[in-house]
Amino acid sequence: MTRKPVLSVEQIDKQFVLHTQNGAILDVLRGTSLAVSAVEIAALCGPSGAGKSSLLKAVYGTYRVNGGRILVRHGDDTIDVATAAPRTISALRRNTIGYVSQFLRVIPRVPALDIVADPAIEQGVTPDDARARAADLLRRLRIPDSLFKLSPSTFSGGEQQRVNIARAMAAPRPLMLFDEPTASLDPENRATVLQMIAGLRDSGTAVLGIFHDPADRKTLGARDIDMTTCGREETVHA
Ligand SMILES: Nc1ncnc2c1ncn2[C@@H]1O[C@H](COP(=O)(O)OP(=O)(O)O)[C@@H](O)[C@H]1O
Ligand SMILES: [Mg+2]
């Protein structure tokens, strides 16, 4: 059976202009193409600096690309993230694309439970149901109940990462992006997170992630996408 991809990245280019360094230009992505379908986990691999995180940010609409198309199936439509208006990007993020960044962006004074529940509430889940779902996920990720009412600003790196993962899991979307979700986790939590990601896949989600440990990719049955052959230009030219 052939499935129409949920995500098709076509020939994208991304350059950074380093204004603080005499306008030097860094070619991070050049002609990068890939596709991810429902019920699939694809893993970006390649050395540090290969452009893996930049690619996820481009798909999420955080970084604007300089060329190419980023086609995402959004309900019955196909949206090109590369050219989408900010309002469309917001709608995509609410209902179609979830993203777990490498680090939680802590909002001061907002309790962990609300941070996890909020995206689900934005999707239309009732606040009570969203908080119940959030509590369940936090418990599965071994966050003690005593921390639910606290802002994660004082949490450990691993605790913040688990809050970040719970937040995405509480509002699953058809395309989920993960940037090194297991990097700061102990073995038990790592196993739980991998189970959750596999569960997303099994329920029909298209997953695109970065997992630096090959054992994680193996556990997930991920299809590797090698970024070093995706056209990374090593030279920095002025
Ligand atoms: N916002 C930015 N401004 C300038 N350079 C950036 C920015 N984000 C990433 N880069 C550069 O792009 C390259 C790729 O970074 P990144 O996508 O984080 O790689 P990876 O995730 O594969 O380690 C690196 O050289 C990095 O310094
Ligand atoms: Mg990275």
Side-chain angles (χ1 to χ4, degrees):
M1 188 174 71
T2 50
R3 285 196 192 83
K4 210 167 148 250
V6 175
L7 168 69
S8 296
V9 171
E10 296 178 358
Q11 296 284 324
I12 58 167
D13 301 314
K14 177 62 189 168
Q15 298 183 330
F16 290 108
V17 180
L18 307 177
H19 296 287
T20 54
Q21 294 182 60
N22 298 319
I25 292 171
L26 191 58
D27 279 311
V28 175
L29 302 170
R30 225 182 223 196
T32 301
S33 299
L34 59 89
V36 189
S37 299
V39 207
E40 172 179 51
I41 298 175
L44 299 173
C45 41
S48 176
K52 304 180 298 296
S53 296
S54 297
L55 193 146
L56 289 192
K57 287 175 188 166
V59 171
Y60 197 57
T62 306
Y63 285 169
R64 277 287 177 190
V65 291
N66 301 93
R69 303 201 298 170
I70 301 170
L71 303 178
V72 176
R73 212 160 67 202
H74 178 56
D76 293 333
D77 298 329
T78 298
I79 305 281
D80 183 359
V81 175
T83 55
R87 184 164 29 94
T88 307
I89 303 267
S90 300
L92 275 170
R93 289 177 177 184
R94 190 163 50 247
N95 294 316
T96 298
I97 313 177
Y99 168 56
V100 177
S101 59
Q102 225 171 335
F103 303 102
L104 176 70
R105 202 152 29 113
V106 179
I107 312 150
R109 289 189 296 277
V110 177
L113 192 71
D114 290 343
I115 288 181
V116 175
D118 282 349
I121 294 170
E122 276 176 40
Q123 287 183 343
V125 177
T126 66
D128 281 353
D129 286 351
R131 284 192 201 104
R133 192 188 289 183
D136 177 54
L137 282 159
L138 287 169
R139 285 183 191 122
R140 278 177 69 192
L141 289 163
R142 301 175 184 81
I143 301 287
D145 285 35
S146 55
L147 297 185
F148 289 8
K149 284 195 151 40
L150 304 180
S151 158
S153 50
T154 56
F155 290 8
S156 75
E159 286 167 341
Q160 290 191 359
Q161 182 68 326
R162 282 176 280 145
V163 170
N164 210 11
I165 291 163
R167 175 178 161 91
M169 294 291 173
R173 281 139 283 183
L175 173 62
M176 297 293 285
L177 312 171
F178 291 91
D179 196 338
E180 306 209 13
T182 59
S184 44
L185 302 185
D186 56 81
E188 278 189 314
N189 283 308
R190 170 184 291 235
T192 302
V193 168
L194 294 177
Q195 270 170 23
M196 287 179 168
I197 293 172
L200 281 178
R201 184 255 331 270
D202 295 343
S203 64
T205 303
V207 177
L208 178 61
I210 303 165
F211 307 94
H212 76 279
D213 188 343
D216 285 4
R217 302 202 290 271
K218 198 168 167 220
T219 303
L220 290 169
R223 172 169 60 88
D224 287 351
I225 298 174
D226 188 348
M227 293 287 291
T228 53
T229 60
C230 292
R232 161 108 161 101
E233 183 76 7
E234 293 292 340
T235 47
V236 178
H237 43 92

